[in-house]
Amino acid sequence: MHSITDIANEMYPELIVCNLDGIKHDEQLVQDAIESWKQKNCRVLVYSLDNFINDCKHIENIRSQYEKFAFTTPGEHKDHNHISNVDYLTMFSCGNTQPVVDHEQEKKHDFLFLVGKLHQHRKHLLESLAKRGILKHTLLSLRNPEHAYEHLLPSHSALPKKYEWSEILEIGDFQAGWPSGDSPMAIAFNKNIGKVHPVLYRDTAYSIVSETNIDKDVNYITEKTWTPLVAEHLVIGHGNKGNNYFLEQLGFVMLNDFVPHYDESDHDRVSDICENLSKQSTTLVYKHTQKQRKHNREHAMDEKHWKDYHSQQLRYYFK
């Protein structure tokens, strides 16, 4: 396992790598970092795994005071100072020993949807899926404390115990969002982030993945996408427009006869595809997509390739 920052430190020993996630909670720490860069007149790589919505103001603050910097996040930006990385894959999935899921058995559920935080775009998708009856065929992990669309959605849907990690079961069941990284749920989640639960993916056919945001001009790819690809699931992605194109540029095969080109930010189009899949034989779909799904797993697990990719991204910017 590795991070793009590991590659950056090897290639450019003089480069300062700033972990924005570690200092952005304190404006003075950010300002102190900027002042130290000015004194050293050095090149800086600002690194963050977080949702860019939480970081854009910090990046603009840095940009207004210092020119010799680049920033790197998991995905792609149109910003000329941005360097793409796939750290949610290379830090948590690839390089790990991952089980090979048995997809020969009959599927007990058509879809798997691990919702996470109930962002507005996820509420819209859940409403659309519920109206079409898709959630009746979905293994759903959801906490809906505000009772959004309560005529359609449950207030709480936990995974059956056989599908959950033991560390999470010791606490109760999964709950997204935690006050700090040392909270029990954060520790339990981070211990298993990016790992494939073989029974969970064995008993389900298709992963509905609603990524963290649907912002324009950004593609943000997290473990929500990488884990089902490693599990050889067929992924129906919901998120930034162009996420599938970005993944295909990386060498993955995301589209096929059952998942045609679509606008990933359009929750109704995502529901259209799920509705069509629900009418198909999962055995037929899995046979038709076997090579694609196997390729995606093998490509995701090729850590040497991703080290070369990170090196290339850094070299292109710091040439």
Side-chain angles (χ1 to χ4, degrees):
M1 295 184 286
H2 77 277
S3 164
I4 191 173
T5 59
D6 299 323
I7 307 301
N9 286 325
E10 291 175 7
M11 294 177 64
Y12 306 104
E14 77 289 351
L15 181 70
I16 290 183
V17 176
C18 171
N19 184 353
L20 186 59
D21 293 332
I23 64 172
K24 65 186 180 186
H25 64 282
D26 188 326
E27 291 183 9
Q28 189 58 54
L29 289 177
V30 175
Q31 194 58 45
D32 289 346
I34 295 172
E35 293 303 323
S36 72
W37 305 339
K38 289 178 179 178
Q39 292 177 10
K40 296 174 183 176
N41 191 30
C42 56
R43 294 190 300 181
V44 176
L45 179 64
V46 178
Y47 174 82
S48 175
L49 278 178
D50 197 7
N51 185 347
F52 189 66
I53 291 174
N54 300 326
D55 289 340
C56 56
K57 65 179 181 181
H58 302 295
I59 296 300
E60 291 309 313
N61 179 35
I62 293 170
R63 196 196 311 273
S64 70
Q65 300 185 61
Y66 197 71
E67 293 183 353
K68 297 172 67 174
F69 87 99
F71 70 99
T72 181
T73 63
E76 186 174 51
H77 288 243
K78 297 192 182 301
D79 191 302
H80 68 278
N81 285 105
H82 183 260
I83 298 174
S84 296
N85 73 57
V86 291
D87 265 19
Y88 272 106
L89 171 63
T90 60
M91 290 178 63
F92 305 117
S93 290
C94 121
N96 260 333
T97 301
Q98 296 277 16
V100 176
V101 179
D102 179 8
H103 289 298
E104 296 298 320
Q105 298 189 38
E106 183 177 352
K107 300 294 184 181
K108 296 180 180 179
H109 308 272
D110 286 346
F111 299 97
L112 170 65
F113 192 2
L114 308 176
V115 177
K117 294 179 182 178
L118 199 52
H119 300 311
Q120 191 61 45
H121 65 282
R122 291 175 178 161
K123 292 180 185 178
H124 291 321
L125 178 59
L126 283 162
E127 179 192 24
S128 183
L129 293 168
K131 285 181 176 179
R132 298 165 191 248
I134 303 299
L135 295 185
K136 296 176 182 177
H137 309 284
T138 300
L139 190 58
L140 181 69
S141 173
L142 168 69
R143 280 184 180 264
N144 181 18
E146 298 177 0
H147 304 285
Y149 305 116
E150 61 183 350
H151 60 296
L152 294 171
L153 303 178
S155 60
H156 183 205
S157 176
L159 293 178
K161 290 183 178 180
K162 66 179 179 179
Y163 297 130
E164 190 55 274
W165 296 107
S166 59
E167 292 84 357
I168 291 176
L169 289 175
E170 289 173 4
I171 303 169
D173 62 77
F174 180 73
Q175 183 170 359
W178 30 78
S180 66
D182 58 359
S183 67
M185 185 58 70
I187 293 170
F189 174 78
N190 288 327
K191 184 173 182 180
N192 295 291
I193 184 173
K195 294 181 181 179
V196 171
H197 193 297
V199 181
L200 178 67
Y201 288 99
R202 180 197 67 192
D203 288 353
T204 53
Y206 317 119
S207 281
I208 301 171
V209 174
S210 187
E211 271 292 2
T212 304
N213 64 58
I214 57 172
D215 294 355
K216 294 181 179 179
D217 299 327
V218 173
N219 298 108
Y220 183 64
I221 308 295
T222 71
E223 85 289 344
K224 297 176 187 68
T225 297
W226 297 124
T227 307
L229 286 176
V230 172
E232 295 186 49
H233 251 208
L234 201 60
V235 173
I236 305 95
H238 173 234
N240 314 107
K241 185 176 182 178
N243 275 2
N244 283 335
Y245 177 76
F246 174 64
L247 290 165
E248 295 214 321
Q249 291 295 104
L250 291 176
F252 295 93
V253 182
M254 304 304 297
L255 308 178
N256 50 59
D257 292 343
F258 305 98
V259 183
H261 176 75
Y262 64 100
D263 179 350
E264 300 93 324
S265 66
D266 185 337
H267 54 272
D268 285 327
R269 282 295 295 125
V270 173
S271 296
D272 286 343
I273 292 170
C274 292
E275 187 173 28
N276 179 58
L277 278 169
S278 70
K279 298 174 182 177
Q280 311 296 325
S281 159
T282 56
T283 302
L284 175 65
V285 174
Y286 258 61
K287 182 177 181 180
H288 183 81
T289 61
Q290 182 178 13
K291 290 182 179 179
Q292 171 185 342
R293 294 181 291 101
K294 184 177 180 181
H295 161 80
N296 286 343
R297 173 191 166 87
E298 291 177 350
H299 190 48
M301 295 295 287
D302 185 355
E303 187 170 19
K304 181 181 183 304
H305 172 83
W306 300 116
K307 285 183 176 180
D308 291 344
Y309 171 78
H310 282 151
S311 298
Q312 182 184 45
Q313 296 301 304
L314 291 162
R315 195 176 294 115
Y316 178 79
Y317 187 88
F318 291 115
K319 57 187 174 184

